[in-house]
């Protein structure tokens, strides 16, 4: 299989390495394609500039769009999640298109459970642009698949772990907030799995198997590194519930098996690796 990974970065590079090791022909696209995994063909391009895509040596059997903006502003989000999606879909017409999307397309903030059938009414501009990118993918590539990932963490993304080690974690005492995440290696693994499915669904939620309360994650992580976190000052029943509980049941039912089923396995591995 010939695969183009557009945005061969944090998740895309892990996916590229897996596919290349399995014998697939992989092209890794990013602005500066140095440092790609062994066996991956580099291609330098700016996703916002369709002219830079003209030299792609297709055709490709599949495209994985895993790009992320380098700034948190509207122009950067639109360039990556809307325009870039459309440009790559046009440049690789006919290929299976798998888009790394985000659970930010869901606007639920009352602790309710969310899955692929839930309404997509994002509250933030970033979520609206990501949702627009999904629409562009479907318009440009028949049968496009979106993997809506929660917060992606793993090696090199250890903000919470660093805060725990420094004793700087602070659980909210004003609300109960649900969080959703997926380890980098499972995000890459899920993408490889979707590429191999003969007839994938159009949307999958990409999170681990256990939505977790923020305060529970913080307390577990602080205890794991030997820095206990004080209890919240107010009882649970007095605090409003925020966030959403994302479900990966469809992804798991399709046959994918998580390497890190919960935050405990994922952050536990990071803690052990840092010792």
């Amino acid at each position: 299989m010939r695969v183009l990974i557009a945005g061969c970065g944090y998740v895309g590079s892990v996916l590229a390495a897996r596919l290349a090791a399995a014998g697939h022909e992989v092209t890794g696209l990013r602005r500066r394609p140095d440092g790609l995994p062994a066996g991956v063909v580099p291609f330098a391009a700016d996703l916002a500039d369709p002219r830079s895509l003209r030299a792609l040596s297709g055709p490709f059997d599949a495209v994985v769009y895993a790009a992320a903006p380098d700034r948190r502003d509207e122009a950067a989000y639109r360039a990556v999640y809307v325009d870039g999606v459309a440009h790559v879909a046009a440049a690789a017409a006919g290929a299976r298109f798998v888009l790394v999307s985000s659970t930010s397309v869901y606007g639920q903030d009352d602790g309710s459970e969310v899955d692929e059938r839930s309404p997509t009414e994002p509250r933030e501009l970033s979520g609206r642009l990501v949702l627009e990118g999904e629409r562009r993918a479907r318009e440009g590539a028949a049968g496009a698949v979106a993997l809506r990932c929660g917060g992606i963490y793993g090696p090199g993304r250890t903000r919470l772990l660093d805060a725990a080690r420094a004793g700087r974690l602070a659980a909210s005492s004003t609300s109960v907030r649900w969080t959703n995440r997926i380890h980098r290696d499972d995000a890459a693994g899920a993408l490889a799995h979707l590429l191999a499915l003969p007839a994938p669904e159009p949307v999958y939620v990409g999170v681990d198997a256990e939505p977790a309360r923020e305060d529970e994650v913080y307390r577990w992580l602080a205890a794991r590194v030997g820095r206990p976190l004080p209890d919240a000052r107010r009882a649970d029943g007095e605090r409003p519930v925020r966030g959403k509980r994302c479900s990966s049941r469809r992804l798991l039912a399709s046959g994918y098996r998580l390497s890190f089923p919960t935050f405990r396995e994922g952050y536990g591995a990071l803690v052990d690796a840092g010792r």
Side-chain angles (χ1 to χ4, degrees):
M1 181 168 61
R2 299 193 72 202
V3 184
L4 169 66
I5 300 179
C8 200
Y10 188 64
V11 172
S13 289
V14 176
L15 174 62
R18 291 189 182 193
L19 294 176
H24 299 290
E25 185 178 335
V26 183
T27 297
L29 183 158
R30 58 190 188 194
R31 286 183 178 177
R32 292 177 294 276
D34 53 300
L36 291 175
V40 177
V41 178
F43 184 84
D46 181 351
L47 295 171
D49 181 4
R51 295 170 298 179
S52 68
L53 302 173
R54 292 174 182 168
L56 276 172
S57 58
F60 296 98
D61 300 303
V63 173
V64 176
Y65 192 95
D70 55 8
R71 304 187 314 278
R72 299 181 67 86
D73 59 50
E74 179 177 356
Y77 271 75
R78 186 174 298 279
V80 170
Y81 289 125
V82 180
D83 299 336
V85 171
H87 296 158
V88 172
R96 172 178 285 193
F97 197 100
V98 180
L99 171 68
V100 178
S101 182
S102 167
T103 55
S104 66
V105 302
Y106 299 111
Q108 291 82 343
D109 192 33
D110 58 358
S112 58
E113 184 177 82
V114 167
D115 64 15
E116 294 82 1
R117 300 164 296 178
S118 300
T120 50
E121 299 172 350
R123 294 168 178 251
E124 304 294 334
L125 176 63
S126 58
R128 294 195 291 272
L129 292 174
V130 170
L131 192 60
E132 173 67 9
E134 288 190 14
R135 185 180 69 81
R136 293 292 185 95
R138 290 191 298 271
E139 289 177 350
V145 177
L147 178 66
R148 293 171 177 166
C149 290
I152 301 173
Y153 73 104
R157 290 190 179 180
T158 56
R159 177 182 59 84
L160 283 184
L161 179 55
D162 295 340
R165 286 173 169 151
R168 290 187 283 102
L169 287 180
S172 172
S173 63
T174 60
S175 66
V176 174
R177 179 165 294 279
W178 288 95
T179 63
N180 307 271
R181 55 185 51 79
I182 186 169
H183 192 282
R184 177 202 65 183
D185 294 355
D186 274 319
L191 291 168
H193 171 74
L194 295 178
L195 287 176
L197 285 182
E201 299 283 351
V203 176
Y204 293 85
V205 174
V207 295
D208 66 22
E210 184 184 316
R213 285 175 32 164
E214 181 184 65
D215 57 344
E216 179 185 359
V217 176
Y218 285 10
R219 290 191 182 92
W220 184 92
L221 191 53
R224 188 75 162 75
V225 298
R227 298 296 297 270
L229 189 73
D231 291 336
R233 291 171 292 176
R234 299 173 60 183
D236 290 346
E238 300 175 353
R239 293 186 287 166
V241 177
R242 296 286 183 260
K244 51 188 173 281
R245 294 176 292 119
C246 297
S247 170
S248 57
R249 281 192 297 266
R250 175 180 286 181
L251 178 64
L252 300 180
S254 74
Y256 184 67
R257 296 294 175 262
L258 292 160
S259 298
F260 302 95
T262 77
F263 71 89
R264 300 174 192 84
E265 291 84 7
Y267 278 113
L270 293 178
V271 170
D272 292 342
R275 287 178 173 169

